[in-house]
Amino acid sequence: MPALRSLPPRAMAAAFDYLVLGGGSGGLASARRAAELGARVAVVEHQRLGGTCVNVGCVPKKVMWNTAVHFEFIHDHADYGFETPDVKFNWRVIKEKRDAYVSRLNGIYQNNLNKAHIETIHGHAAFTSDPEPTVEVNGKKYTAPHILIATGGRPSVSHDSEIPGASLGITSDGFFELEELPRRSVVVGAGYIAVEIAGILSTLGSKTSLLIRYDKVLRTFDSMISTNCTQELENAGIDVWKHSLVKSVTKSPLGLLEVTVISSAPGHKPTVSTIPDVDCLLWAIGRDPNTEGLNLDKLGLKLDAKGHIVVDEFQNTSRKGIYAVGDVCGKALLTPVAIAAGRKLAHKLFEGKQDSKLDYSNIPTVVFSHPPIGTVGLTEEEAISTYGRENVKIYTTSFTPMYHAVTQRKTKCVMKLVCAGKEEKVVGLHMQGLGCDEMLQGFAVAVKMGATKASFDETVAIHPTSSEELVTLR
């Protein structure tokens, strides 16, 4: 009988308890929690650790929003008695400091993995046709009984075949590569990324146009927020083009862009206009899942029409032993959601908590607009659809924050409580105004706990603050 030949080293798969594809917020959180629970874990990542949030999302965005808020306060200095002549803004200074901060975070994430004894595999993972789920990275195979796909998403792009010259624009990723503040910016989109970037650019001094398909931004938010945010953008000097689409983009010999826009307001004939001398055209028209190149067809995974991985309430995909969390699933595209779902999954897999899953209801969300937006729970429209109009009571207020008592520049604060049933349970809370970003977390706890309007009323107000308005609504 001939001796059995051993397999060549390249063909043997390195085995782990848990293999995580994607070193972003969700993947890292799940990997570290699994390692804490005793699992032998590896993380595969082909770019910088930290994913979208740390590198081209929430973190650098918040630095730029803080920069813009700083500039707003400088405008108000004279009203508060401070003389600040010749204030100049240097984009490169904050870009260098921001990039250095992000690099420090990349290093911290790597150190955390090292301390947890998690193996980092640098490269692009692709599933193989092996009988047991296996991935190949740089020619080497890896396998595990539990594999998590946490590859995140990327900005959607318009192609030149759809809109001639579309590729002359950038996306939110490109925003963080800008070396100078653009003099003339055009942002396309009506979601929170478009709103935030348009606000930052405009506040810092770039003449900014925002092109939206309908008449309001943030159309999935409560109608009060959608209406007020659109108004605040216009009040801040942003040129909001409603019912508008980009028809084509051309580049001049000087390198500036000319954006041709078609506007079709209801009841009016379409009009074609051009925006000349644009040095920054930014597409913020949605996000796509990072599933290409993973060879998911080898697993037969169920995907939705946009390519998101379909999962159940426990983050299980259609293939046993394969899970997915975060933006790649297309639901609640928020960093803390991916982190929470990833940790819950680790407890289910490696601590035996079979009912461990994330509750996707009442997830608080902030939009870093000017002023910021905070929202949790159902919109008024959703509450009426769920409970019936006769069982929903709405409380609203609109006022000018005390900060603006002495300033020429004004912003509004609007607030809404959506209450349901005889007990007036607070099922939705929506606000836009100075400080609403930091107000929301505590109120979100109350909503999650099932607070009623009476609970709010029984809480003594903190005076003088904007937040006290939420406990004094009538």
Side-chain angles (χ1 to χ4, degrees), residues 37-293:
L37 296 169
R40 187 163 172 266
V41 184
V43 171
V44 183
E45 176 55 66
H46 73 288
Q47 293 180 310
R48 292 181 293 172
L49 289 175
T52 296
C53 177
V54 167
N55 296 294
V56 287
C58 352
V59 170
K61 178 273 304 286
K62 184 72 183 284
V63 172
M64 298 312 291
W65 183 79
N66 285 339
T67 307
V69 169
H70 216 75
F71 208 29
E72 287 180 308
F73 285 149
I74 288 170
H75 287 305
D76 301 332
H77 275 356
D79 290 322
Y80 272 94
F82 294 91
E83 291 181 20
T84 51
D86 302 325
V87 173
K88 292 189 176 78
F89 170 60
N90 188 328
W91 176 279
R92 289 193 176 204
V93 169
I94 193 60
K95 183 185 185 297
E96 285 174 13
K97 289 185 173 231
R98 185 195 75 211
D99 291 351
Y101 175 50
V102 169
S103 291
R104 286 203 304 277
L105 291 176
N106 296 146
I108 289 167
Y109 276 102
Q110 185 62 66
N111 287 339
N112 286 340
L113 289 181
N114 296 344
K115 281 191 282 190
H117 305 293
I118 295 168
E119 186 167 331
T120 310
I121 302 163
H122 296 284
H124 195 287
F127 283 95
T128 67
S129 51
D130 289 78
E132 291 302 313
T134 304
V135 298
E136 188 172 302
V137 186
N138 302 327
K140 187 173 180 190
K141 289 184 175 183
Y142 302 87
T143 189
H146 304 291
I147 299 178
L148 173 64
I149 302 171
T151 48
R154 63 186 184 278
S156 306
V157 292
S158 289
H159 296 287
D160 291 345
S161 56
E162 302 159 353
I163 301 170
S167 61
L168 295 168
I170 61 172
T171 64
S172 56
D173 287 1
F175 171 75
F176 297 109
E177 295 173 12
L178 292 173
E179 295 291 343
E180 300 284 352
L181 173 70
R183 292 180 63 183
R184 183 75 176 90
S185 302
V186 173
V187 179
V188 184
Y192 79 93
I193 295 171
V195 166
E196 290 178 338
I197 292 179
I200 290 166
L201 287 168
S202 174
T203 304
L204 292 176
S206 180
K207 182 170 168 48
T208 304
S209 297
L210 179 63
L211 273 55
I212 62 177
R213 281 190 297 174
Y214 299 96
D215 62 338
K216 293 186 180 90
V217 297
L218 304 178
R219 290 172 57 247
T220 60
F221 285 65
D222 187 88
S223 57
M224 177 194 73
I225 295 296
S226 183
T227 300
N228 191 71
C229 185
T230 306
Q231 188 65 58
E232 287 287 3
L233 288 165
E234 293 177 320
N235 292 349
I238 293 172
D239 190 13
V240 181
W241 291 56
K242 298 171 182 176
H243 306 288
S244 296
L245 297 167
V246 176
K247 189 166 181 268
S248 63
V249 186
T250 56
K251 193 172 193 174
S252 75
L254 294 173
L256 294 175
L257 305 180
E258 184 172 274
V259 182
T260 302
V261 182
I262 184 161
S263 301
S264 311
H268 295 79
K269 283 186 178 177
T271 58
V272 178
S273 316
T274 58
I275 306 174
D277 303 328
V278 174
D279 48 359
C280 176
L281 167 64
L282 191 145
W283 301 99
I285 52 174
R287 291 183 67 80
D288 297 325
N290 280 329
T291 49
E292 288 174 14

Side-chain angles (χ1 to χ4, degrees), residues 255-460:
L256 294 175
L257 305 180
E258 184 172 274
V259 182
T260 302
V261 182
I262 184 161
S263 301
S264 311
H268 295 79
K269 283 186 178 177
T271 58
V272 178
S273 316
T274 58
I275 306 174
D277 303 328
V278 174
D279 48 359
C280 176
L281 167 64
L282 191 145
W283 301 99
I285 52 174
R287 291 183 67 80
D288 297 325
N290 280 329
T291 49
E292 288 174 14
L294 287 174
N295 290 352
L296 295 183
D297 54 317
K298 297 272 192 349
L299 298 174
L301 285 197
K302 189 176 176 187
L303 307 179
D304 71 9
K306 291 188 174 179
H308 298 110
I309 297 173
V310 176
V311 294
D312 67 10
E313 59 188 332
F314 292 100
Q315 312 300 146
N316 295 304
T317 68
S318 56
R319 175 79 181 260
K320 186 173 170 56
I322 307 288
Y323 318 89
V325 300
D327 290 7
V328 78
C329 303
K331 184 179 179 184
L333 311 186
L334 298 163
T335 294
V337 171
I339 290 171
R343 286 176 179 160
K344 292 278 188 187
L345 177 62
H347 284 287
K348 180 177 184 290
L349 298 179
F350 301 106
E351 202 181 21
K353 291 189 173 178
Q354 292 308 309
D355 58 348
S356 179
K357 65 177 181 178
L358 178 63
D359 176 6
Y360 279 83
S361 66
N362 292 323
I363 292 170
T365 306
V366 161
V367 178
F368 289 100
S369 48
H370 298 265
I373 291 164
T375 175
V376 63
L378 302 179
T379 65
E380 179 177 344
E381 297 83 353
E382 287 168 344
I384 289 169
S385 172
T386 303
Y387 296 99
R389 186 175 295 276
E390 68 282 4
N391 297 313
V392 173
K393 187 156 185 188
I394 305 298
Y395 296 88
T396 61
T397 186
S398 174
F399 59 94
T400 302
M402 188 176 167
Y403 171 83
H404 289 306
V406 298
T407 66
Q408 291 180 353
R409 184 180 72 91
K410 308 284 185 194
T411 62
K412 261 198 315 188
C413 185
V414 295
M415 293 175 164
K416 176 186 282 191
L417 285 187
V418 181
C419 302
K422 286 181 183 172
E423 73 279 21
E424 292 196 355
K425 182 181 178 182
V426 180
V427 295
L429 185 154
H430 313 278
M431 52 186 169
Q432 180 175 19
L434 293 178
C436 285
D437 52 332
E438 294 289 353
M439 268 180 235
L440 181 66
Q441 191 76 72
F443 282 107
V445 173
V447 172
K448 193 78 175 170
M449 290 175 71
T452 62
K453 177 66 169 62
S455 313
F456 276 55
D457 295 341
E458 287 161 9
T459 304
V460 175

